[in-house]
Amino acid sequence: MTSALIIEQLLNGLQFGVMLFLMAAGLTLVFGVMGLINLAHGSLYMVGAFACAAVASYTGSFWLGVVASLAASAAAGALVEVTVIRRLYNRDHLDQVLATFALILIFSEGTRYLFGSFPLFLNVPDMLAGPISLPGGLQYPLYRFAIIVVGALVAFGLYLLISRTRLGIRIRAGESDRAMIAALGIDIRLLYTIVFALGAALAGLAGALVGAIQSVQVGMGEPVLILAFVVIVIGGIGSIKGALVGAVLVGVVDTLGRFLLPQFFQLFMDNAQATSIGSALASMSIYILMALVLVVKPKGLFPANG
Amino acid sequence: MKKTGILKAGLVGLSMCLAGTAAAEPVKVGMITTLSGGGAGLGVDVRDGFMLAVKQSGNKDLEVVIEDDARKPALAVQIADKMIQSEKVDILTGIIWSNLAMAVIPSTVSQGKFYISPNAGPSQLAGKGCNANYFNAAYQNDNLHEGMGAYATKAGYQKTFIMAPNYPAGKDSLTGFKRFYKGELAGEVYTKLGQTDYAAEIAQIRASGADSVFVFLPGGMGIAFMKQYAQSGVFKPVMGPAFSFDQGILQAVGQNAVGVKNSSHWSKDLDVPGNKEFVESFQAEFGRLPSLYAVQGFDAANLILSAMSKADVNDKEAFRAALKEADIQSPRGAFKFNKNNHPIQNIYVREVIKEGDIYTNKIDSLALENHQDAYADECKM
């Protein structure tokens, strides 16, 4: 095992974490501000990926596809907020889970109806294709590197948005006391729609970026959604900072677990058994991490409301 | 989410009876397959292949009832019960996934109904669990992986890195590969089922010094792996069973899959009688190229049709014997049933190519001739 391999795996974990952050940021914002559990967040991720693939294959430009994915998922988010989600804010979480689960089914079958049952083609743009050489003779896919950069920029942008702008002040105020900011004359309905569309756009962006190196197909959002929930539980529900830390933590633990656990068991077991036990344990690693975090800090690492 | 497509052909057959024309007993087939959700492409192909054969035969005595299992075992069991008990089907078919097949087939055949599998071939039903009423028109699950193992040995690979998802079919896959692969393993990795990010595994492949890679990653997992592998700069040859490189998903992988060797019991350019006609008629009917799933659906329907022309479905003994003869012209060439009712057939190696704007496969070589599965001897039948 060389140090180059370990550094490559750390970068992989970081890239995975950054992608999870894009998903978790929207989820945690929506939960923090509106108190809503949105299971359909994964569907918005799928909408972003399909919009990107469709526009990219029509125009031949990946970048137009990314713009389209932002627009389509934000529009889908706003539409869903106005028609369905808005009626759920005052209901209990079980109603929200049921209604947004129904949205998953509607989005999935709707997408299948529009695009057919076969996965769509979306490839990385030529200028980001292939590997780059990093110091130490390490080869790393340029596109994954670009995802890390985009994720870092988005995290920084969100930080500026929330700490430096009027919208950010309102979002923070909404997190701490919903009734009060409504009483202060802020159009809370509009604020909710904007926050929801923002979260949707981030999910759509994640879908488009990841769609280029994964499979653009119906149902692609749900596995990511589960991980995003793990991330916000670890990070503290409602906290953007928590989402970032949680996402990177989950990304690195998952990647290193998949890579190191089977090798660890090989030290004192035969190969086949070690592989099978190691990979079984690796798929549990992030849930074990979540359990440990919750034992030490029951509200997550950075609880939003104290 | 349920869709029921009923061929009203039975009615026409009935009226022919009334008109005094001698006609065979009508046969009712229940098709349970995956038509919604992520794996729908496979079920759609099986259904379309099956219905193409029914249409070509012009046989009005065959009625087909189709329902969607949404890839859920519990739903498949429920539909099977309904089809057997209230719709009184004679034959069930259609299931794609091995876990659904294991939930439905044993109880179906124990109720005296026939089951013709157009895809899933779990090892449990090929060996000790074989049944006279269960016929597999596709393959036993290990077959294609065994073909690839034989190819890797023939191609002289010395250090192959092998990888599959951590579930029963994934373990069968690597076992099947190793059964025919004589070189050393550079690594053996089980990934999480449904995993879509393979960065960690690709880094291991790079570090292992492998001279080739064998992956069994069906559907979206394979698409994700091939795209990421192409970006990684690890240029070792990739091989796998046809499931990751079939017509339905090749367009989504695109350039990244060109040159990949994969094993299959059928290819669109296979030079056997009837194959060209099958490909052309499928394309004319549905506007796309058929996949191996379409071939399996097509053959499953033709098996039923051939048995219908020889025996009455209510005479189980005679119908079973007629099915076993496998008197069909399969687009994959020579096809016959082994003693465990699983196919004995050739396994080929195909190469992914670009043909015009379409990504498809061409035949490279023959991997295993008249290949039978490893479990037939355990079958007491």
Side-chain angles (χ1 to χ4, degrees), chain A residues 2 5 8-9 12 15-16 105 109 112 117-124 128-131 138-144 210-219 223-224 227 254-255 258-259 263 266 271-272 275-276 279-280 282-283 286-287, chain B residues 1 3 35-42 44-45 68 166 171 178 188-192 194-204 206-207 219-221 223-225 227-228 230-233 235 247-256 288:
Chain A
T2 61
L5 178 60
E8 182 175 358
Q9 297 291 27
N12 287 334
Q15 179 264 316
F16 187 38
L105 299 179
E109 290 314 298
R112 216 174 57 77
S117 305
F118 297 97
L120 257 54
F121 175 73
L122 178 64
N123 210 355
V124 302
L128 294 178
L138 179 67
Q139 296 252 308
Y140 197 70
L142 177 57
Y143 188 78
R144 286 185 188 272
V210 164
I213 50 170
Q214 294 184 2
S215 160
V216 181
Q217 63 180 6
V218 172
V224 188
L227 292 177
D254 185 63
T255 308
R258 268 151 58 197
F259 157 59
Q263 304 208 345
Q266 270 170 20
N271 214 335
T275 317
S276 126
S279 38
S283 42
I286 57 166
Y287 304 102
Chain B
M1 281 206 310
K3 275 175 222 124
L35 300 172
S36 65
L42 285 64
V44 169
D45 267 2
D68 173 22
N166 197 6
K171 299 202 163 153
K178 287 188 282 186
E188 178 175 359
V189 167
Y190 287 106
T191 62
K192 201 160 53 181
Q195 182 175 324
T196 48
D197 196 287
Y198 292 96
E201 288 75 16
I202 291 170
Q204 277 171 272
R206 190 201 308 274
M221 294 184 275
I223 299 176
F225 174 80
K227 283 175 158 182
Q228 293 163 25
Q231 294 302 317
S232 70
F235 297 114
Q247 208 57 50
I249 61 172
L250 271 185
Q251 314 318 314
V253 191
Q255 189 63 33
N256 303 317
R288 63 175 196 275

Side-chain angles (χ1 to χ4, degrees), chain B residues 234-249:
Chain B
V234 185
F235 297 114
K236 304 295 178 207
V238 176
M239 347 170 234
F243 315 117
S244 312
F245 305 98
D246 211 69
Q247 208 57 50
I249 61 172

Side-chain angles (χ1 to χ4, degrees), chain A residues 11-12 15-16 18-19 22 49 52-53 56 62-63 65-66 69 122-134 139-151 204-214 216, chain B residues 197 199 224 227-233:
Chain A
L11 279 174
N12 287 334
Q15 179 264 316
F16 187 38
V18 155
M19 194 276 298
L22 292 180
C52 185
F62 177 77
W63 305 109
V66 171
S69 76
L122 178 64
N123 210 355
V124 302
D126 286 339
M127 61 179 285
L128 294 178
I132 48 164
S133 296
L134 296 179
Q139 296 252 308
Y140 197 70
L142 177 57
Y143 188 78
R144 286 185 188 272
F145 208 75
I147 292 185
I148 297 177
V149 174
V150 170
L205 176 66
L209 291 179
V210 164
I213 50 170
Q214 294 184 2
V216 181
Chain B
D197 196 287
K227 283 175 158 182
Q228 293 163 25
Y229 189 74
Q231 294 302 317
S232 70

